[in-house]
Amino acid sequence: MIKLEDVSFSYGNVPALKNVNISETEPIIMGLWGRNGSGKTTFMKLLSGLENIDAGSINVNGITPYNNKEAMNNITYIQENHPFSILWNVEDALRFGALFNKNWDGELAEHLVTLFELPRKKKIKNFSKGMQTMLQIVLGLASKAPVTIMDEPTNGLDAYMRKQFYDALLDTYEEDPRFIILSTHHIDEIEAMCEKIAIINEQTIVRYEETEELKMHGILLSGSAEAIEPLIEGQSLIEKRKLGKQINVMIDDVFTEEWKARANKAGVTVEKAKLQDYLVNYTTKKEVHKV
């Protein structure tokens, strides 16, 4: 599917990606999470062949994407603000989708346009943000590309339309498994659909793990400093806040029954941190704090 080895890229003298390594051989739905400026967009552009690497190598289904006409048959990249012509309506977008995607599924495209209730003759430039997102979803899913990259695919969607997207994505993936990347900086939006999650921070991939394993990380402890300090001695602390005589801390460790028992014995409140909160703290820390 994809393999990146020691990939680096800069915009002039400004590094955008550094020594990126990631490999996946099976069709899965992968989440790509990172804060703004972390390198997500550059990663997707390099993988789709829109930019050329400065160093390293990229292999997508046996090809190097940049300046390779075969890339179009293997990769679809739906950008957050996809560049539609100001003259286009939905019918135009579907026509060009069919022309430029070898595996285009016209029946699926028609089904999704109906599902999302998109006006076929209205100019796309006059669409709301949510309507543009829905049209981008149509193109991404109907392309049936072996590698499909979708940037912020739930942007502007209300709760009902997000569910429609999730159901459509999982249905088409079950029928035709392929490698799908969903990029976001709100992991709670997509984590339920992703088998694995790649974490990008400071212009490189710092973690690539099974979603269920990653979700086990992050322990929140709340209580008196006197009770908590012995519990966190020697632990990797990624957040600490004092509220009078109380302190709240987040530990970079796996949430286990043993931790619950230790906290209860010490009279300390313990809970599993939300994945989004854990990732924000994990990627914000400059160094591992041992206390």
Side-chain angles (χ1 to χ4, degrees):
M1 294 270 105
I2 70 165
K3 186 173 185 179
L4 285 75
E5 293 184 299
D6 297 322
V7 168
S8 295
F9 176 81
S10 297
Y11 292 102
N13 295 322
V14 180
L17 282 183
K18 300 176 292 187
N19 303 318
V20 170
N21 290 277
I22 188 169
S23 177
E24 186 56 61
T25 59
E26 300 297 325
I28 65 166
I29 301 176
M30 182 193 101
L32 177 65
W33 184 90
R35 294 182 288 120
N36 289 336
S38 60
K40 295 195 308 298
T41 300
T42 301
F43 175 86
M44 292 183 286
K45 285 184 174 180
L46 291 174
L47 192 59
S48 61
L50 294 184
E51 298 280 4
N52 193 17
I53 59 177
D54 294 335
S57 64
I58 298 180
N59 185 296
V60 179
N61 277 4
I63 67 170
T64 299
Y66 183 72
N67 201 27
N68 190 331
K69 64 180 181 180
E70 276 302 305
M72 193 177 297
N73 295 325
N74 286 273
I75 308 163
T76 290
Y77 172 34
I78 302 297
Q79 302 173 55
E80 180 180 0
N81 296 303
H82 205 66
F84 295 110
S85 167
I86 62 172
L87 302 176
W88 283 8
N89 58 26
V90 169
E91 299 287 354
D92 297 320
L94 297 187
R95 185 169 66 255
F96 279 94
L99 283 173
F100 289 99
N101 292 281
K102 184 177 70 172
N103 301 309
W104 181 258
D105 188 333
E107 185 176 337
L108 175 60
E110 293 294 333
H111 167 70
L112 293 175
V113 167
T114 301
L115 178 69
F116 292 142
E117 301 177 356
L118 292 174
R120 294 172 178 268
K121 301 299 183 181
K122 185 176 181 179
K123 297 293 185 184
I124 298 169
K125 68 176 182 177
N126 296 323
F127 278 13
S128 67
K129 177 60 180 175
M131 291 168 64
Q132 288 190 29
T133 296
M134 286 184 274
L135 181 55
Q136 290 167 193
I137 289 170
V138 173
L139 296 180
L141 297 185
S143 73
K144 291 287 185 78
V147 175
T148 301
I149 306 167
M150 305 181 74
D151 188 12
E152 299 290 351
T154 59
N155 242 6
L157 300 186
D158 61 24
Y160 174 75
M161 282 305 178
R162 285 200 299 273
K163 185 179 186 307
Q164 296 299 310
F165 164 57
Y166 300 153
D167 291 345
L169 173 67
L170 294 175
D171 285 346
T172 185
Y173 175 76
E174 184 176 349
E175 294 170 3
D176 186 12
R178 50 206 188 273
F179 187 72
I180 299 176
I181 297 177
L182 306 177
S183 171
T184 185
H185 56 270
H186 295 294
I187 197 63
D188 51 317
E189 291 280 321
I190 63 168
E191 65 175 81
M193 296 181 290
C194 299
E195 186 175 339
K196 291 184 179 181
I197 296 174
I199 308 304
I200 190 164
N201 186 50
E202 295 183 345
Q203 291 75 54
T204 196
I205 300 288
V206 294
R207 306 265 290 267
Y208 182 47
E209 301 177 22
E210 301 280 346
T211 303
E212 291 306 312
E213 292 181 8
L214 190 61
K215 286 170 64 175
M216 291 303 296
H217 286 264
I219 301 171
L220 290 171
L221 299 171
S222 302
S224 68
E226 183 180 11
I228 284 182
E229 293 295 347
L231 286 178
I232 63 176
E233 184 177 355
Q235 298 295 324
S236 299
L237 195 65
I238 55 176
E239 184 181 42
K240 183 176 182 179
R241 293 182 180 178
K242 294 191 69 173
L243 299 170
K245 295 182 180 180
Q246 299 287 307
I247 61 173
N248 298 330
V249 300
M250 185 184 294
I251 298 170
D252 187 6
D253 200 0
V254 176
F255 187 67
T256 62
E257 291 297 322
E258 180 183 355
W259 260 111
K260 290 200 292 188
R262 290 177 61 191
N264 290 336
K265 184 177 180 180
V268 169
T269 300
V270 62
E271 59 182 311
K272 172 69 188 68
K274 293 181 179 178
L275 181 57
Q276 178 79 10
D277 294 339
Y278 169 71
L279 293 179
V280 168
N281 284 325
Y282 178 82
T283 56
T284 299
K285 65 177 183 174
K286 301 303 180 184
E287 57 184 273
V288 175
H289 298 283
K290 296 289 187 178
V291 293

